Amino acid sequence: MESSFVESNPLYGIYPAGNMVSFDNESVTVSVPSIQTAGNDGYDSKAAISVSRAFSDSLCFRSVCGGIRLNFQMSGVTKMELESVDGYALSGKAKFEWNEQGLPVVAETSDTDYILMYNAPDESGFLPGKDYFISTLPCDLYGGYRLSIYKDGLVADYFGVHQTVERTSYITPNDLVESELEFDDPDAPLVEEERPELDATTTALLRQYQQNPTEENKQALMEQMGLRYDKVVARKKSKLRELEREALTPDLVEEMQEIVDEMVENRDIRLEQQFLRLIDPRSDDNPNDAWLVLHGAPEQDAYIGYAPVTNAEYAAFDPNFNYEAGTENYPAVNVTIARATAYCDWLTTQDDAHAYRLPTDEEWVLAAGHMPKDVSMNSGYVESGLTAVDAYSQTTGACGGIDFWGNCWEWTSSTDADGLYIIKGGSWDSDRDDCRSEKSDVVRDGTQGYANVGFRVVRTTL
């Protein structure tokens, strides 16, 4: 070291040296590998990179990576795959510059990967109880990451959210429970969960709020619900990345992108709706009738019909209503808003205790809940037209009702800015994406009847 190290001629150090790409007077570029193998200390020595920049012959090395720290109690885990579901860089080339505090910060990246493979040291797998470290570039993982754990020829997917990898920090998955991991064939498709049951933590927080409904207890419950919601979004983002990699199904990519965008955009609304459902204490006063509790509705006495109004039911009100023989249990369509309202008024005259009306857009969504991704329903031309309302009765909405999605659209009493009526649920000739509960941009002229638009009824107490 005979040179004079000054600002225009700094001394650089990179460890390991093989990870150096280039350097200049202001920066150094290194490469973080996308395939790593754990060493005896739990790190891949070629991935845990440190750099130094000095104007003297003394170097102080600082780590440029962070990552994830894992410690399994189970044996047989041979590799792990980490994915940033938002597509942020985990590995690749990174140019580091020094800030005012003399610390290296990422200035730009190139040739990056958002999926990283981490292998066990040998065929026996990772040692139970030992810490292992996946090294990555500093990365915002708040929107989610997928950790795929390979064990005994099978794989389980864990989704984490609300975490960020800072330089020098190795995060630990907050709620990874080994006994809850579900292992499956590695070639099995990644399928989003339909309507997962409440977990123990959410159930406990719900009970705590019901016993003591303070704002503090509400926020604790909402935070837990938000965590679970964001995990579902992360799973769907991962499915979107998978479809993008396959590059064979652009329509599916577009559909999944719309689903993800809608879930992110309407997050607060959907969480509030779920909260209202959860805290609604009502139970069905008559489980044997066709009316179901509309949990979360502003009117605490609101019930909704088990199914759309059928041809036979509507014909009891309007004897001139014609339909084909054998379709008595098909949804009544070609009914205008005025005639649907008249039917509701007629029901009210038959009942001294209740009033009947069309649901609002919000009430319809509360009743249906979120449409499961792989739900079985009459849409996308799987049938050549309408079916009986109970043809897909294995598919139920959040309230327990049937035929919310597909078969026929359903009128609501809600209108858009132009006075057109919002219809919900899609029909037999709709794309699956158009059947989603949250889709509220499909409208019709209420003065007309349509061959694929029916209606469902809400009942309240007089």
Side-chain angles (χ1 to χ4, degrees):
M1 296 185 181
E2 298 178 355
S3 301
S4 176
F5 299 108
V6 294
E7 189 168 345
S8 60
N9 183 36
L11 172 65
Y12 286 103
I14 301 171
Y15 180 84
N19 292 80
M20 184 193 75
V21 176
S22 63
F23 63 88
D24 55 32
N25 289 337
E26 296 181 352
S27 66
V28 60
T29 300
V30 299
S31 179
V32 177
S34 61
I35 300 177
Q36 302 176 16
T37 300
N40 292 331
D41 59 356
Y43 293 88
D44 183 331
S45 60
K46 296 180 181 179
I49 303 169
S50 298
V51 299
S52 181
R53 179 173 183 260
F55 306 112
S56 68
D57 58 3
S58 176
L59 288 173
C60 178
F61 282 87
R62 300 185 184 275
S63 174
V64 298
C65 290
I68 294 185
R69 178 176 67 85
L70 296 162
N71 187 314
F72 291 108
Q73 300 305 308
M74 59 185 173
S75 60
V77 177
T78 55
K79 67 178 179 179
M80 289 172 273
E81 185 177 77
L82 175 65
E83 175 192 35
S84 165
V85 299
D86 285 315
Y88 294 138
L90 297 175
S91 62
K93 297 177 183 177
K95 178 181 178 181
F96 285 86
E97 296 179 349
W98 275 257
N99 63 15
E100 294 179 355
Q101 289 73 41
L103 300 175
V105 293
V106 176
E108 60 183 62
T109 59
S110 61
D111 300 332
T112 59
D113 287 302
Y114 63 90
I115 295 179
L116 190 154
M117 187 65 72
Y118 188 72
N119 296 307
D122 52 53
E123 294 180 356
S124 63
F126 298 100
L127 291 176
K130 180 179 175 62
D131 285 341
Y132 289 94
F133 301 86
I134 304 175
S135 296
T136 73
L137 293 169
C139 184
D140 180 5
L141 297 178
Y142 192 88
Y145 62 91
R146 170 182 60 84
L147 184 68
S148 295
I149 302 159
Y150 290 80
K151 177 181 181 295
D152 300 329
L154 302 175
V155 63
D157 292 314
Y158 163 85
F159 288 87
V161 293
H162 300 181
Q163 293 182 286
T164 300
V165 174
E166 304 286 353
R167 186 186 66 82
T168 74
S169 71
Y170 284 79
I171 62 175
T172 300
N174 289 327
D175 54 358
L176 194 161
V177 180
E178 293 182 25
S179 60
E180 295 179 356
L181 292 174
E182 297 181 5
F183 287 88
D184 198 357
D185 188 323
D187 295 326
L190 176 64
V191 177
E192 300 99 304
E193 295 180 17
E194 293 199 354
R195 194 177 291 126
E197 299 292 330
L198 292 183
D199 64 326
T201 302
T202 306
T203 301
L205 290 172
L206 173 60
R207 186 178 301 111
Q208 177 177 291
Y209 175 80
Q210 291 170 328
Q211 294 172 349
N212 186 17
T214 64
E215 185 62 26
E216 181 180 358
N217 286 341
K218 177 182 178 180
Q219 289 305 312
L221 174 58
M222 293 294 284
E223 287 178 9
Q224 175 64 16
M225 289 168 55
L227 177 70
R228 286 172 54 80
Y229 182 91
D230 292 340
K231 281 177 173 285
V232 174
V233 176
R235 177 178 286 270
K236 292 185 182 296
K237 287 179 179 178
S238 185
K239 182 64 177 182
L240 173 60
R241 301 282 90 82
E242 179 185 281
L243 293 172
E244 289 174 337
R245 291 193 297 273
E246 291 175 354
L248 299 175
T249 51
D251 291 344
L252 290 178
V253 172
E254 182 178 351
E255 177 184 336
M256 183 58 71
Q257 183 67 66
E258 290 181 1
I259 291 173
V260 169
D261 291 344
E262 180 275 318
M263 291 191 70
V264 173
E265 179 181 354
N266 295 322
R267 177 183 187 272
D268 292 344
I269 295 174
R270 290 176 61 172
L271 284 175
E272 184 66 23
Q273 289 173 338
Q274 179 65 6
F275 172 74
L276 292 173
R277 289 193 196 97
L278 288 177
I279 65 171
D280 191 334
R282 292 180 296 159
S283 58
D284 197 337
D285 57 4
N286 184 359
N288 298 317
D289 67 10
W291 300 97
L292 303 166
V293 177
L294 188 49
H295 285 109
E299 293 183 81
Q300 288 295 293
D301 60 349
Y303 283 68
I304 195 163
Y306 175 69
V309 174
T310 65
N311 285 328
E313 290 170 334
Y314 187 78
F317 153 70
D318 182 0
N320 296 320
F321 182 69
N322 296 316
Y323 56 90
E324 294 183 10
T327 63
E328 291 80 4
N329 204 33
Y330 281 47
V333 294
N334 284 311
V335 178
T336 66
I337 281 285
R339 294 304 291 166
T341 301
Y343 173 81
C344 293
D345 293 341
W346 174 75
L347 287 178
T348 301
T349 65
Q350 313 296 308
D351 189 340
D352 294 334
H354 300 102
Y356 298 83
R357 58 174 173 79
L358 293 175
T360 65
D361 177 20
E362 178 187 7
E363 288 172 333
W364 194 98
V365 174
L366 283 170
H370 178 60
M371 185 187 85
K373 170 62 180 172
D374 295 300
V375 64
S376 177
M377 61 181 177
N378 179 17
S379 70
Y381 296 88
V382 297
E383 307 277 2
S384 58
L386 296 173
T387 63
V389 296
D390 58 358
Y392 291 83
S393 59
Q394 72 272 30
T395 297
T396 59
C399 68
I402 61 173
D403 213 30
F404 278 102
W405 305 290
N407 209 17
C408 73
W409 293 94
E410 297 182 23
W411 287 117
T412 73
S413 61
S414 301
T415 57
D416 69 359
D418 297 321
L420 298 174
Y421 286 85
I422 296 171
I423 57 176
K424 306 292 291 184
S427 63
W428 67 273
D429 55 353
S430 299
D431 292 337
R432 291 178 66 90
D433 183 52
D434 288 333
C435 300
R436 290 182 294 115
S437 303
E438 296 77 18
K439 194 173 183 65
S440 294
D441 58 355
V442 182
V443 294
R444 294 288 186 273
D445 183 346
T447 65
Q448 299 181 34
Y450 300 87
N452 64 352
V453 179
F455 66 103
R456 191 183 301 255
V457 177
V458 166
R459 187 193 77 182
T460 58
T461 303
L462 282 173

